[in-house]
Amino acid sequence: MESPVEDNNISSALIAACLKLQPGNDLKQVEGQAEAPLLKGAGKSDCSVCVVSIHECEKDLPVASVSDENSAWNSEKMQAILEHARSVVEAPEATRSQDGSRAARVQKALRRPTLPHRNRSAQLDLEILQSKISSPRQYVNEKTLRRLSSGMWAVRKQAFRSGKQDGSRLLKQIQKQVIYSATCRTNPIISMIGTPEVYGLRVPEGEDAEGSIIVDMEYIPFNDVRSLILEQDKTIHNWFIGSAISVIDQEMTQSSIVKLGTVLPEFNKKASGIIAHLANCPLLAPREKETIAQYFSIILTRFQSFQDLQIPVGTCHGDLTLQNMLVDPINRELCVFDFLDSFVESPLQDIAKLLQDCRHQWFFTQTEISAKDTARVATTLESFNTRICSAYYNYKFWEAVPLFEFFTLARILPYMTQENEKQCIINGLCRIIEDLYQTRYPKVSSSNNGGRKMEGSSTVIVPALGCDMGRLYRDGEVKLLAKKSNGRPLIVDCISNLAVNNVSAIIVAVTRPLILEYCITTTRFEDMFRCLGEEKYHKLRFFYSEEQTQDAVETVTIAIESCSIQGPVFVKAADNGFTHSVDIGNYLSVAEVLNNRTPIKSPGHAFRPDLVDVTEKNFVSFSYDNVVSNIAYKKDVSSQFCCGGWSFLEASEFVFAAAKLRSLVQTAREISVTGSHQSPLRIVDSIWQLMSQGHLFFGVKVDGYDDCGSQAAWIASRGRDLIY
């Protein structure tokens, strides 16, 4: 097997630049002083996992030393696989870190005819094309550093006899990984899917080392799925879940069809083992242990009547969770790792593992997600779940998926360590049992207009029921009624520049106690809007609530239901203003960070007041034909951001999406590793939910954006002479 990495100018230049070392130092000495990259998720592994220098790693697969009489390693088929698993095509070292994983580079090289290479001395000098690193470490992005230096490192997994996982089980997993690595190189179904190449393994000698094994493999510098969900757009999301499904599709081609009755004894045996281990589980109360035992009895009894159901059996990853995937969204490559042996080897095991994360939200128990990002992650996981179900729902074997799904969750019970993990598992087991006696994955559609013709006008809703509207600004004015430089209160000015030719009504939703406290009567409050002109004033409707709402999504939902609003709606934020003609359709208003106009310079101000809070905005990117593909909070995915106007084609669709979203978020908060801290839902969260259901939204640029959402923005707005 060839040495996986050789000394090269890129690594030397990079490390020397990062550590400010003198050129000419020995590379091994330099690498020894370099900081090893972080390994995501290493703390949750059953083995000892660390990052080592490439020069320290094992470089051979000694089959004889790890084989026994019954081992598949001795078979001729396995020997052939091992030969294919080795890298026989040398990838250009200069582009190693930019061109994806080692498996992907070798695969690309194999597409060319097998022809002899020219002498190295006769080859063209391409040094000018090689990457050169000349910046000190403080100017090198962490992800860039990890990618460019990836060839210096290897991942070492070590299993001990006294550890959670001994060498025999790790060896089975490595066997799966080696087979999959070889398969990825020749199978067109998974052409852009790979796994870390196994460089070598070693079995320590001596009595104390019995049951131990050391395995070194390729370090993959890709991103985790968490960053993909939070930063990438819908196109990348669709590619990712499609690739995950392709992993299972490939497994299907390698499987044989058997009757479920032939593997049911294995499920019975596994159930007995799990129930026996529950006796030593401190997180479970006696009553909970009894309930779980009853669940096992129910599901095993249920599937005794499915003896003749045909299912695929043969091969699977075994632990195909989102935590065991890395992604390169630029090169569109998916890397899967941490294979696991299963008591029944079937692609249905991997379907169940994906459902564990996407349907039952196990992902939240293993990954830190901020309160503000919870809605986006929960919605995206739900969309992944829909894609998975859609891919396999029509096949007969889908009737057996609940069995695998149940055992996938139940197998974690003896090993769980946190209360939120227990809550997630028990909720999932209960959900599966309930589904078995109802319609499996029922298709629920949003309420429609019952054949009613869509109205030719929209209803504007101004949500102002949140506690934020009662906050005092620095000048002592309550935010809702704070006066702009034109003398109009903020709640009035927010709709002053809207053209309402296509509007049938404007609903202003406020809290009655706040209005009575500062305006004495509701009549005085309503008279403030007369400055908008008779046409606009006559379209106003006022909704007074006795209580505040928890967020804008709840305010809009209450307004729609209380006022019996049907048809198109346009939601306008109460704490900013812009010029826009309200239209009908699914769209959101956007403003540009980049502005070719010269900023207005009033005394003491030489900046864009409308951008004071721009780092707190939701940025928007588009795919084709102005279709919104991504809405990312505080992440500059483009130069355009949402500026407080959201239009929906049908009010009932918003209500349905809001209810679904709140249910998903509530479940996620209960099991989240970061706790149950709540963050208000935003209107864009509902839009993301609708986009995940297949609705298209568009972007509409607006003019004259004036932000007053925070005290800083309010002060900046008051400090300028005019809005440009």
Side-chain angles (χ1 to χ4, degrees):
M1 182 176 183
E2 67 167 355
S3 175
V5 174
E6 300 177 1
D7 297 359
N8 60 84
N9 292 335
I10 295 181
S11 296
S12 302
L14 173 68
I15 304 172
C18 293
L19 300 179
K20 300 182 179 179
L21 298 176
Q22 296 296 324
N25 282 5
D26 180 73
L27 179 60
K28 295 183 181 181
Q29 176 186 353
V30 173
E31 290 181 357
Q33 302 177 52
E35 180 180 348
L38 295 176
L39 192 62
K40 299 179 183 299
K44 295 186 180 295
S45 176
D46 290 339
C47 301
S48 169
V49 185
C50 63
V51 176
V52 299
S53 170
I54 194 69
H55 301 286
E56 301 175 24
C57 75
E58 304 296 329
K59 299 178 175 63
D60 192 20
L61 288 172
V63 178
S65 64
V66 297
S67 301
D68 55 48
E69 293 182 359
N70 299 319
S71 176
W73 289 83
N74 290 320
S75 67
E76 294 182 3
K77 181 179 179 181
M78 189 63 199
Q79 293 300 313
I81 289 173
L82 287 173
E83 289 302 319
H84 286 298
R86 296 184 172 91
S87 297
V88 296
V89 179
E90 182 178 358
E93 296 294 339
T95 59
R96 176 178 59 253
S97 50
Q98 291 93 342
D99 286 352
S101 70
R102 187 177 181 83
R105 295 192 310 273
V106 171
Q107 187 183 70
K108 292 175 184 177
L110 286 172
R111 295 173 189 164
R112 299 169 184 166
T114 305
L115 298 173
H117 284 181
R118 297 179 66 188
N119 231 313
R120 282 191 179 272
S121 59
Q123 290 180 2
L124 179 65
D125 184 6
L126 298 178
E127 183 177 358
I128 189 173
L129 300 179
Q130 296 183 0
S131 302
K132 299 296 182 180
I133 308 299
S134 59
S135 300
R137 188 181 185 108
Q138 56 264 35
Y139 296 110
V140 179
N141 180 277
E142 180 184 350
K143 291 182 180 179
T144 302
L145 179 64
R146 188 171 70 243
R147 177 176 286 276
L148 293 180
S149 63
S150 62
M152 299 158 41
W153 311 104
V155 175
R156 171 165 294 174
K157 298 187 74 172
Q158 188 167 3
F160 306 92
R161 181 173 56 180
S162 58
K164 290 183 180 180
Q165 181 172 296
D166 62 15
S168 62
R169 190 170 187 190
L170 176 59
L171 194 59
K172 294 178 182 177
Q173 297 166 15
I174 294 304
Q175 181 181 1
K176 272 191 172 185
Q177 185 167 331
V178 169
I179 293 173
Y180 195 78
S181 177
T183 304
C184 288
R185 302 187 180 196
T186 56
N187 195 309
I189 298 179
I190 49 176
S191 60
M192 291 305 292
I193 302 172
T195 187
E197 180 174 331
V198 177
Y199 292 149
L201 59 86
R202 176 168 61 88
V203 179
E205 299 179 354
E207 294 183 3
D208 295 338
E210 184 180 351
S212 301
I213 186 174
I214 297 173
V215 181
D216 291 330
M217 63 189 72
E218 179 185 7
Y219 172 75
I220 303 292
F222 293 175
N223 299 328
D224 57 15
V225 176
R226 175 186 177 275
S227 65
L228 176 136
I229 291 176
L230 293 179
E231 298 175 11
Q232 300 299 326
D233 61 20
K234 294 299 298 181
T235 303
I236 297 297
H237 289 180
N238 290 335
W239 159 77
F240 164 73
I241 193 61
S243 297
I245 292 172
S246 294
V247 173
I248 299 172
D249 288 344
Q250 187 274 332
E251 295 169 355
M252 295 282 187
T253 66
Q254 303 297 310
S255 299
S256 57
I257 302 300
V258 303
K259 292 182 178 181
L260 180 61
T262 62
V263 298
L264 277 180
E266 296 298 325
F267 283 95
N268 287 306
K269 182 179 177 181
K270 190 67 178 178
S272 299
I274 295 173
I275 293 173
H277 280 92
L278 293 184
N280 301 320
C281 183
L283 287 179
L284 290 173
R287 180 60 180 165
E288 290 174 326
K289 295 176 184 178
E290 293 176 7
T291 301
I292 292 171
Q294 291 173 2
Y295 283 168
F296 273 108
S297 177
I298 291 171
I299 198 162
L300 289 173
T301 301
R302 167 87 175 189
F303 281 94
Q304 286 299 322
S305 59
F306 287 79
Q307 296 276 342
D308 294 332
L309 178 63
Q310 294 185 327
I311 64 170
V313 171
T315 183
C316 68
H317 178 285
D319 196 17
L320 194 64
T321 63
L322 302 186
Q323 290 79 31
N324 290 339
M325 301 180 191
L326 293 172
V327 289
D328 181 356
I330 298 176
N331 292 313
R332 298 286 180 94
E333 185 178 355
L334 171 65
C335 176
V336 296
F337 57 95
D338 276 1
F339 292 75
L340 188 66
D341 57 311
S342 302
F343 66 99
V344 174
E345 294 285 338
S346 169
L348 303 191
Q349 173 69 24
D350 286 345
I351 293 177
K353 275 292 182 180
L354 288 178
L355 294 178
Q356 170 184 303
D357 266 338
C358 301
R359 184 186 180 216
H360 303 292
Q361 299 186 331
W362 177 255
F363 185 75
F364 278 98
T365 71
Q366 307 298 298
T367 310
E368 291 191 4
I369 305 295
S370 69
K372 288 186 177 296
D373 290 328
T374 298
R376 178 184 175 101
V377 175
T379 298
T380 303
L381 292 179
E382 175 65 15
S383 71
F384 290 170
N385 175 56
T386 301
R387 283 285 303 274
I388 297 164
C389 295
S390 299
Y392 301 112
Y393 184 83
N394 291 325
Y395 292 91
K396 286 289 293 183
F397 66 70
W398 183 260
E399 296 179 25
V401 168
L403 177 65
F404 285 83
E405 192 179 356
F406 182 92
F407 274 79
T408 291
L409 288 170
R411 288 174 67 184
I412 308 173
L413 285 169
Y415 309 103
M416 61 186 180
T417 58
Q418 303 294 330
E419 188 68 28
N420 63 319
E421 294 178 342
K422 183 188 83 169
Q423 190 68 38
C424 178
I425 295 171
I426 292 179
N427 288 348
L429 297 180
C430 182
R431 190 179 295 119
I432 294 168
I433 295 296
E434 290 177 350
D435 279 353
L436 287 176
Y437 294 94
Q438 298 174 9
T439 302
R440 177 78 175 147
Y441 293 111
K443 296 183 178 180
V444 182
S445 60
S446 59
S447 56
N448 55 39
N449 54 16
R452 175 181 55 83
K453 183 179 180 180
M454 191 68 70
E455 297 179 8
S457 59
S458 181
T459 301
V460 174
I461 301 176
V462 182
L465 294 180
C467 60
D468 183 61
M469 288 295 122
R471 184 159 51 95
L472 294 178
Y473 275 170
R474 180 180 295 180
D475 51 11
E477 294 179 301
V478 67
K479 178 178 179 179
L480 182 75
L481 302 173
K483 287 186 172 57
K484 301 290 295 296
S485 56
N486 55 23
R488 290 194 290 259
L490 187 57
I491 186 66
V492 177
D493 197 66
C494 72
I495 56 175
S496 61
N497 291 322
L498 290 183
V500 293
N501 296 333
N502 296 323
V503 173
S504 59
I506 304 172
I507 309 295
V508 179
V510 293
T511 55
R512 188 186 301 274
L514 182 66
I515 297 304
L516 295 181
E517 179 180 356
Y518 289 94
C519 299
I520 310 302
T521 66
T522 57
T523 301
R524 290 184 60 180
F525 171 69
E526 295 171 9
D527 286 343
M528 293 179 179
F529 291 82
R530 291 191 178 277
C531 62
L532 299 177
E534 289 300 316
E535 179 186 4
K536 191 172 291 186
Y537 181 78
H538 285 304
K539 292 184 178 183
L540 285 167
R541 305 289 184 271
F542 296 91
F543 173 71
Y544 295 100
S545 173
E546 299 300 327
E547 297 179 352
Q548 295 176 339
T549 56
Q550 55 185 323
D551 49 51
V553 173
E554 184 183 13
T555 301
V556 174
T557 301
I558 291 175
I560 290 174
E561 294 177 340
S562 300
C563 300
S564 301
I565 299 174
Q566 296 181 334
V569 292
F570 180 83
V571 181
K572 174 64 186 68
D575 55 8
N576 63 36
F578 51 77
T579 302
H580 173 61
S581 178
V582 177
D583 207 342
I584 295 174
N586 288 333
Y587 69 88
L588 45 86
S589 60
V590 297
E592 279 276 2
V593 172
L594 304 176
N595 196 327
N596 56 9
R597 300 185 180 95
T598 303
I600 300 300
K601 295 185 178 181
S602 57
H605 297 280
F607 56 89
R608 294 266 305 276
D610 56 321
L611 300 185
V612 169
D613 284 338
V614 72
T615 57
E616 300 293 323
K617 303 299 184 185
N618 293 286
F619 285 83
V620 188
S621 62
F622 304 91
S623 53
Y624 55 89
D625 296 335
N626 200 35
V627 175
V628 175
S629 61
N630 197 7
I631 307 175
Y633 175 64
K634 297 179 69 171
K635 295 177 178 65
D636 52 346
V637 297
S638 76
S639 63
Q640 300 180 69
F641 60 90
C642 298
C643 62
W646 309 274
S647 178
F648 300 88
L649 193 58
E650 175 56 52
S652 61
E653 291 177 348
F654 176 91
V655 173
F656 177 81
K660 179 69 174 177
L661 173 63
R662 200 169 295 281
S663 174
L664 291 171
V665 170
Q666 181 59 35
T667 303
R669 285 170 177 167
E670 292 174 356
I671 63 175
S672 175
V673 69
T674 56
S676 57
H677 173 68
Q678 294 192 8
S679 178
L681 293 181
R682 299 157 296 186
I683 302 297
V684 292
D685 293 328
S686 294
I687 291 178
W688 189 256
Q689 171 68 27
L690 286 166
M691 287 173 57
S692 298
Q693 295 173 359
H695 294 263
L696 295 181
F697 278 79
F698 301 86
V700 176
K701 290 185 179 180
V702 299
D703 295 320
Y705 176 63
D706 184 21
D707 187 13
C708 303
S710 68
Q711 289 213 40
W714 171 255
I715 293 170
S717 178
R718 290 287 297 270
R720 59 183 172 181
D721 297 325
L722 54 92
I723 302 172
Y724 54 91

